[in-house]
Amino acid sequence: MQSLRVRLVNIFDHAFDNFVATARTCYSSRGIVGVEDVAESAVAEPSEIERRRQRKHALAKSLFQAGHHTTLQHTHLQFAIEGISRHCIWSFLHSHPFYNSEQVSQRYVAVHEGNFYVPDSLGERGQRIFASTIQARMRDYQELCDALAPYVGQHYFEIFSGRKGSRRAEVDIRRKAQELARYVLPVATLAYLYHTISLITLFRYYRIAQEFDTSTEQRLVVERMVEALLEREPEFRHILQDPMPIEDTPEYAFFAERGFTEVDVDNARRFVTEFDAQLDGALSVLVDYSERSETVLAESVREVLGVAQADLSDEEAIRLVLDPAENRILGEAMNLTTLSKLNRTLFHVRYVFRKRLSHAADSQDQRHRFTPGSRPILMRHYTGEPDYYTPVLIERIPELRERFDAAMRDTWEQINRLLNDGESPEDAAYLLPNAVHVRFTESADLLNLHHKMAMRLCYNAQEEIWRACLEEAQAITRVHPEIGRWLLPPCTIRARARKNPYCPEGDRFCGVTVWRLPREEYSRVL
């Protein structure tokens, strides 16, 4: 197993003094307060050094305790993290809006032996079960990669017939095969990433790091992050709060008060049956929206422009903000919408979806940080029975589906063995496959949803999340046709905005002229 490694690779110079200087600037009648105005190193007299230190620490504590935390958002910390599980990344590091990550992709980078998190708290028998299950899934992964390749190639060459025999085709087919095969891998698979957050986010991590689902691992990760900070800036010890005990979290208190255990398969089965009945076979369903959304959007557009309804109809107003032929900002490679007065009208329209995605797809979905979801304590959904997503291509090929299903059955059997042996649900959960279903509710304002659709309706997007976004765009079109018609992939947006080339992906072009297709004809296997 690769060991955890956390390095602080970038931080502002004099971060603590900068924190205090920014706070003092708010009340300064002499202009900007500089770091040199608060640092002890800027003075030589011992009494002045001590006076500055006491004043600085007192102000820092006062600000922190009062909740004036914007001063801690100026300094950002960039960490290089290696040997962290994908489950921990999903459950903790990527479960909130205020971060940026660049993470190794399982779609494009093959997984190798030994790249798995193994909980130290497992007993001797549990260690054997865990290790043998990982080894079995690695064999399944490798065999599926090989078995999928000819089927992937068949679909690939229907689009790129001229690439037969090329090195490019070989690489593309291998990557697409491993993208599908990875669904059998456990969420214990390790990753490495750059992860950038502000100081206040790190302090929040430290305070709540003991919450579900991966409390042991995330606590260790966060402790290493804090240690790296304090090695560079020890004065932050003066405001760092102790971690909150898990017993103080509302989720833990709820279970304790009602005598619930972390795994309750009977309750989970009732919940899953109820939830899935609402989906009726879909990946995502629209469950809430405002009926007046189109009217509100049109009125907001007229407000920004200062025109009356007689001079700009609702349909014209909506087209003005959502049709890329009218609103060229939508065709920009950078997302400029939050800086545009007209585009900010999209904030007023909101949609709520109930969704069921695989752990792998949801790890992509949650990267859209401003279309947030209320994701579950995963083992509270554990029914003791196989519960997973099957990729479309595997679903269509009986021998591959049989192999995939056998791997899923064995995974659940081994997890049940661990639980029956008394191992903790937290440890057992690491064996859940990337394919395991995650059920949650997600909401979005139209501005951020539009951006997400533009990214994930691209044919290069992961097939499962692409399919969920297509269902969402279709659902919105049914209730708000004047809005829904403009939820489009990036190439179609750029074509209407007359931005060349229409496909922004360069040599990663999917091979399909999607901008010429009506949305009803969108179709993908890979």
Side-chain angles (χ1 to χ4, degrees), residues 48-242:
E48 178 61 14
I49 291 173
E50 183 58 27
R51 188 187 73 82
R52 281 198 172 195
R53 180 181 296 120
Q54 290 183 2
R55 182 183 181 189
K56 181 170 60 174
H57 292 171
L59 178 58
K61 289 179 181 177
S62 173
L63 287 168
F64 190 82
Q65 291 170 359
H68 301 311
H69 296 155
T70 56
T71 50
L72 288 163
Q73 289 179 291
H74 293 284
T75 294
H76 278 68
L77 308 100
Q78 185 186 46
F79 293 95
I81 305 175
E82 301 166 274
I84 183 174
S85 76
R86 290 183 177 271
H87 191 34
C88 186
I89 293 170
W90 169 82
S91 181
F92 190 75
L93 287 189
H94 289 177
S95 63
H96 66 103
F98 306 114
Y99 72 90
N100 190 51
S101 279
E102 309 304 332
Q103 173 187 344
V104 61
S105 170
Q106 280 186 324
R107 298 178 70 195
Y108 302 114
V109 179
V111 176
H112 299 291
E113 299 280 356
N115 283 346
F116 297 93
Y117 174 82
V118 180
D120 292 333
S121 51
L122 286 168
E124 185 176 343
R125 173 178 155 88
Q127 291 273 355
R128 290 197 301 271
I129 293 172
F130 201 96
S132 64
T133 305
I134 285 175
Q135 290 167 3
R137 296 298 81 80
M138 269 303 298
R139 287 193 298 272
D140 291 326
Y141 169 73
Q142 292 161 350
E143 291 170 3
L144 276 169
C145 282
D146 293 338
L148 279 160
Y151 298 102
V152 171
Q154 179 182 342
H155 288 279
Y156 181 86
F157 291 125
E158 287 175 0
I159 299 172
F160 299 109
S161 58
R163 293 183 183 175
K164 289 183 178 179
S166 69
R167 173 62 178 164
R168 169 66 183 277
E170 180 185 339
V171 171
D172 287 349
I173 290 168
R174 185 183 71 246
R175 286 177 170 175
K176 185 59 71 172
Q178 69 193 24
E179 176 182 337
L180 300 176
R182 73 192 170 117
Y183 276 85
V184 302
L185 291 172
V187 296
T189 308
L190 296 178
Y192 47 87
L193 69 159
Y194 277 107
H195 190 70
T196 301
I197 53 176
S198 69
L199 282 166
I200 189 58
T201 297
L202 179 58
F203 293 162
R204 289 167 178 161
Y205 279 5
Y206 191 65
R207 180 67 173 153
I208 203 169
Q210 298 193 78
E211 68 173 349
F212 300 103
D213 290 279
T214 58
S215 59
T216 300
E217 185 184 6
Q218 67 204 29
R219 187 168 65 246
L220 180 59
V221 172
V222 173
E223 285 173 354
R224 297 277 180 87
M225 296 169 84
V226 169
E227 288 168 6
L229 168 66
L230 295 180
E231 185 177 339
R232 294 277 291 272
E233 293 277 348
E235 287 182 293
F236 281 113
R237 294 184 189 275
H238 292 283
I239 60 172
L240 188 65
Q241 288 184 303
D242 290 336

Side-chain angles (χ1 to χ4, degrees), residues 34 47 88 144 180 202 205 208 229 268 277 290 303 308 315 354 374 399 441 483 496:
S47 61
C88 186
L144 276 169
L180 300 176
L202 179 58
Y205 279 5
I208 203 169
L229 168 66
S290 170
E303 289 164 7
E315 183 179 347
R354 190 144 291 146
S374 51
E399 59 268 31
T441 294
I483 290 175
R496 288 198 62 83

Side-chain angles (χ1 to χ4, degrees), residues 431-442:
L431 284 184
L432 288 167
N434 281 331
V436 67
H437 279 140
V438 178
R439 295 170 174 86
F440 61 101
T441 294
E442 182 177 273

Side-chain angles (χ1 to χ4, degrees), residues 456-500:
R456 300 303 177 179
L457 286 175
C458 172
Y459 270 41
N460 279 341
Q462 183 182 3
E463 183 273 332
E464 186 185 350
I465 192 173
W466 174 88
R467 196 167 302 280
C469 283
L470 181 58
E471 290 179 359
E472 291 166 5
Q474 292 167 334
I476 291 171
T477 303
R478 285 193 290 272
V479 297
H480 294 145
E482 293 303 319
I483 290 175
R485 64 187 295 198
W486 303 116
L487 298 175
L488 301 166
C491 59
T492 309
I493 291 173
R494 289 172 63 87
R496 288 198 62 83
R498 297 186 289 282
K499 283 278 186 180
N500 287 306

